[in-house]
Amino acid sequence: MIRNMVSSMGAVLEEKKSIFVDLSCSYVPVEIIHAAGLVPRRLLPPAPKETGLLPHNSCSYARACVEHYNPAPVVFTVCCDGLRRCYDVRKSRGDNVFILDLPRQVTSTCIQHYREELLRFAQWLAVFSGRPVCETSLERSMALYRDLRLRLKELQNAGCSPVGFNELVQITLASAPEDSRLLLEGIHKTREISVETGSVLLTGAILPDAGILRVLEENNAAAVVADFCIGDRYWLEIEYPAGEDRWLTLARAYLEKPPCPRMAGFSRRFSYLRGLLDRTGAHGVILYGVKFCDHSLYDVPLWRSLCSERGIPFLYLEGEYRGGIPAQFHTRIQAFLETI
């Protein structure tokens, strides 16, 4: 049911000829792009080929972002060396790209700096949208995304299966919030949602498809959380305090989101991961990382420590972006589940 609705939504977007802006990082405020009259879309290109634009021992997601081309403008952040080089290459060949200087800490100085970066970003968007971003349009966009995040949270709490929820997140990453809200309203009314229970906490930097989620389901297990930058972590509720400058609000809200491995501050990241275990009661943790992604490796010792402390199994899987689920993963996941 969900898959059919997702396909229908894709057709609607094509018919509307929406003007997209692709983004490669969940710290880019989608509200600003929408307030400029554009549609934010997460950059999830096809698997990379051997073009030589970046070294083979680079992150395969970064290599895919370099090789992929369409007319849509792209916004990057300085989140990692791979995406910095991706910006450099695409800029040198004349693509319409922008890069945000994303702070690694959450201090008053960093928040103020990111506010200035967001203002610069809005000016870049206005050049080709012809629609300057004002506080009124920004407020409307923030309200739309606040509602969208709440609806996603309600569906997840109502028992939406991990695979089904992943499909919902994928379509919301690629459509205007108005269209995504209509999609979620339809699902909420039909109640045609499968209910799953499970005991695995799935986490990492980027999960490009639902392959691992399906392997878990095939083995009578499911992920209680899919903690990825294009998964649950992307759509966690963001607070917008009233009576504050909206640019400052967005800068603070995004920097204060649950931290990804790239953000500085060991204690903050450790507390967040511990909180995930406390909240979900997971009986095991699977960390999935893309090969040559340093950020994923940052989390390995943290998770090993937490899982050892609680006496629960931990599994680290490493694969290629859009590389599918190799047979080895099936075997390792099955063996992992037998220890729970």
Side-chain angles (χ1 to χ4, degrees):
M1 177 65 181
I2 292 177
R3 191 167 300 170
N4 292 337
M5 298 183 75
V6 168
S7 298
S8 299
M9 183 61 70
V12 169
L13 287 172
E14 179 63 25
E15 183 179 343
K16 290 173 66 175
K17 301 298 181 184
S18 300
I19 302 176
F20 292 101
V21 172
D22 291 337
L23 53 139
S24 64
C25 177
S26 62
Y27 282 93
V28 178
V30 290
E31 296 88 342
I32 298 176
I33 298 173
H34 180 264
L38 305 164
V39 177
R41 177 177 62 185
R42 179 64 193 230
L43 182 57
L44 294 172
K49 300 177 182 178
E50 298 299 327
T51 63
L53 293 174
L54 285 180
H56 180 69
N57 60 348
S58 300
C59 165
S60 50
Y61 175 66
R63 288 192 284 117
C65 290
V66 167
E67 296 171 8
H68 180 65
Y69 175 77
N70 62 40
V74 185
V75 54
F76 295 99
T77 65
V78 295
C79 59
C80 68
D81 287 339
L83 289 182
R84 288 181 185 180
R85 301 294 77 77
C86 184
Y87 166 80
D88 292 338
V89 173
R90 296 195 59 166
K91 181 72 173 176
S92 67
R93 73 185 185 197
D95 294 353
N96 192 0
V97 292
F98 183 88
I99 192 164
L100 275 167
D101 186 16
L102 176 67
R104 297 184 65 242
Q105 296 179 318
V106 186
T107 65
S108 58
T109 301
C110 290
I111 291 170
Q112 185 61 40
H113 172 73
Y114 202 45
R115 176 188 180 277
E116 299 303 317
E117 283 292 289
L118 297 184
L119 285 168
R120 187 171 65 90
F121 177 44
Q123 293 171 356
W124 176 76
L125 291 170
V127 169
F128 56 88
S129 72
R131 178 176 167 179
V133 180
C134 62
E135 289 225 356
T136 301
S137 63
L138 198 56
E139 189 69 50
R140 286 197 297 265
S141 296
M142 291 165 71
L144 277 170
Y145 277 102
R146 180 191 297 115
D147 182 62
L148 182 58
R149 291 183 178 106
L150 287 173
R151 290 178 185 274
L152 280 167
K153 184 178 180 180
E154 288 172 1
L155 287 172
Q156 189 178 40
N157 291 339
C160 186
S161 73
V163 173
F165 189 73
N166 179 265
E167 291 177 347
L168 291 177
V169 169
Q170 293 300 308
I171 194 59
T172 53
L173 288 169
S175 60
E178 300 91 342
D179 299 322
S180 296
R181 184 169 60 181
L182 289 175
L183 170 69
L184 298 183
E185 285 176 351
I187 294 174
H188 186 68
K189 291 174 183 176
T190 61
R191 288 290 182 181
E192 294 186 23
I193 301 172
S194 60
V195 178
E196 292 281 353
T197 57
S199 59
V200 177
L201 195 156
L202 185 60
T203 184
I206 185 170
L207 186 69
D209 57 54
I212 294 179
L213 297 172
R214 292 194 178 94
V215 173
L216 289 172
E217 282 192 354
E218 291 168 2
N219 289 275
N220 299 316
V224 288
V225 167
D227 175 52
F228 292 88
C229 68
I230 58 172
D232 294 5
R233 195 165 66 235
Y234 188 83
W235 288 112
L236 287 176
E237 188 176 353
I238 292 178
E239 296 293 333
Y240 304 125
E244 185 180 54
D245 168 68
R246 297 291 84 178
W247 299 98
L248 191 64
T249 295
L250 281 174
R252 176 181 292 109
Y254 272 81
L255 290 180
E256 289 182 348
K257 287 199 316 175
C260 80
R262 180 259 181 193
M263 301 299 282
F266 171 85
S267 59
R268 183 166 172 250
R269 178 69 179 163
F270 194 78
S271 296
Y272 168 64
L273 300 184
R274 185 190 296 275
L276 282 179
L277 284 178
D278 291 339
R279 178 168 59 85
T280 63
H283 297 148
V285 174
I286 296 178
L287 171 61
Y288 174 79
V290 177
K291 287 183 179 179
F292 306 113
C293 175
D294 293 339
H295 294 169
S296 297
L297 295 175
Y298 296 159
D299 266 358
V300 172
L302 295 182
W303 277 119
R304 287 196 189 281
S305 174
L306 278 171
C307 291
S308 175
E309 172 187 300
R310 302 193 179 208
I312 60 176
F314 168 76
L315 174 64
Y316 176 58
L317 298 174
E318 189 176 69
E320 295 283 354
Y321 169 76
R322 298 283 196 194
I325 304 300
Q328 183 191 63
F329 277 19
H330 288 261
T331 303
R332 294 185 65 190
I333 291 173
Q334 288 169 354
F336 167 80
L337 292 175
E338 289 178 1
T339 66
I340 294 179

